[in-house]
Amino acid sequence: MTMDMPNLKRLSDFIQAVTKLMDDHDDKQRPPAGIQSLLAELVTHDDWLPEFCTVPHPTFYQQFLLHCDPLERFSLVSFVWGPGQQTPVHDHMVWGFIGMLRGAELSQRYRSNPDGTLTADGEPDRLEPGMVDVLLPAEGDIHQVFNAYDNQPSISIHLYGGNIGAVSRHVFDLSNGQPKTFISGYSSNVIPNVWDRSAGRKT
Ligand SMILES: [Fe+2]
C-alpha cells in the first residue's frame, strides 16, 4: 500500500452507515436524522477520494458518481469545479447535503414569487472544507453554485435522496423564472471499487 492509495474503507464505511439509516427510514421527502453528521465526518478527512474523481474539466463542472444505492434511495457524487465554474440556477426534487472537501464554493439561494419570477434570497452562503449545507425541496431548494476560486479547483461531496443523475428536475431562466426540465447524468461511467477487501493487505 502506497501513501497515495485512497482510504476507500472510509468511503465504504460511510456508504454502509447511510444504507443502515435508510433501511430504518420511510419518509421519502425528508432525510433520516444523522445523515448530516455522517457527511460532516466524511468531509473532515481528505484521504479517501480516488484521484479520477478529482479531475476538473476545462469547460464543464464534473459530477462523478461515487455510489448509488441499489434501490436508488440515495446517491453520492463528487462535484469538481474548475476555476471560476458555476451551475445554472436549478432545483433538485430530492433532499440533498453538500459537504465541502477542498477549496470553497458559494451557494446563492432563490425564492419563488407568486408571479413565477425568482428573487435572490439573501447573500450567498460560503462553504469551506468540513462544512455541510442542506437542501430540502419542501423548504425551497432553488440555488446557483459557484466555485469561490477563479484560480483553483474546488470539490464538494453531495449526498442526495435519490439517483440524482437520473432525476428529472429544472433549470431556471432568471429573467422570468421560467423552468426547463433537465436530467444531469454523470460525468463518468466508472465508479470507485470500494469492495476489494484485499486493498491494503497486499505486500
Ligand atoms: Fe444544487
Side-chain angles (χ1 to χ4, degrees):
M1 182 169 165
T2 70
M3 290 302 288
D4 293 324
M5 206 161 177
N7 181 3
L8 291 178
K9 176 81 163 48
R10 198 185 299 285
L11 176 55
S12 62
D13 284 351
F14 175 83
I15 291 166
Q16 287 174 358
V18 174
T19 303
K20 285 178 185 168
L21 288 180
M22 296 302 291
D23 283 347
D24 295 329
H25 186 72
D26 291 327
D27 184 353
K28 285 198 166 181
Q29 306 305 317
R30 296 211 165 244
I35 289 268
Q36 183 161 355
S37 58
L38 282 175
L39 184 59
E41 173 69 16
L42 182 68
V43 297
T44 295
H45 304 277
D46 188 5
D47 61 358
W48 57 270
L49 186 63
E51 183 68 24
F52 78 92
C53 301
T54 70
V55 181
H57 182 279
T59 309
F60 307 106
Y61 64 90
Q62 298 288 278
Q63 302 161 82
F64 296 104
L65 179 65
L66 301 177
H67 176 75
C68 184
D69 173 61
L71 302 178
E72 297 181 280
R73 297 170 299 179
F74 69 92
S75 56
L76 187 69
V77 183
S78 171
F79 270 65
V80 182
W81 313 93
Q85 289 178 350
Q86 64 188 67
T87 67
V89 180
H90 64 276
D91 67 7
H92 309 82
M93 305 299 285
V94 293
W95 55 257
F97 292 87
I98 300 168
M100 202 72 218
L101 188 71
R102 295 179 200 171
E105 70 184 38
L106 301 170
S107 170
Q108 175 64 60
R109 301 247 186 180
Y110 288 88
R111 55 184 160 77
S112 297
N113 300 312
D115 66 359
T117 59
L118 296 173
T119 302
D121 195 0
E123 295 296 308
D125 296 320
R126 185 182 176 101
L127 277 189
E128 300 283 353
M131 294 172 64
V132 175
D133 195 12
V134 185
L135 296 160
L136 297 173
E139 296 178 6
D141 69 332
I142 300 173
H143 72 163
Q144 185 172 24
V145 183
F146 307 79
N147 185 351
Y149 294 101
D150 59 12
N151 60 354
Q152 68 178 72
S154 292
I155 301 177
S156 50
I157 306 301
H158 298 210
L159 180 68
Y160 294 103
N163 177 5
I164 192 66
V167 173
S168 180
R169 48 201 180 114
H170 309 92
V171 294
F172 297 88
D173 181 342
L174 260 192
S175 69
N176 55 18
Q178 278 298 308
K180 195 174 124 189
T181 300
F182 85 109
I183 297 175
S184 69
Y186 296 109
S187 304
S188 172
N189 291 325
V190 180
I191 61 173
N193 180 358
V194 298
W195 309 117
D196 183 355
R197 298 295 183 205
S198 72
R201 295 189 186 176
K202 292 172 182 166
T203 56

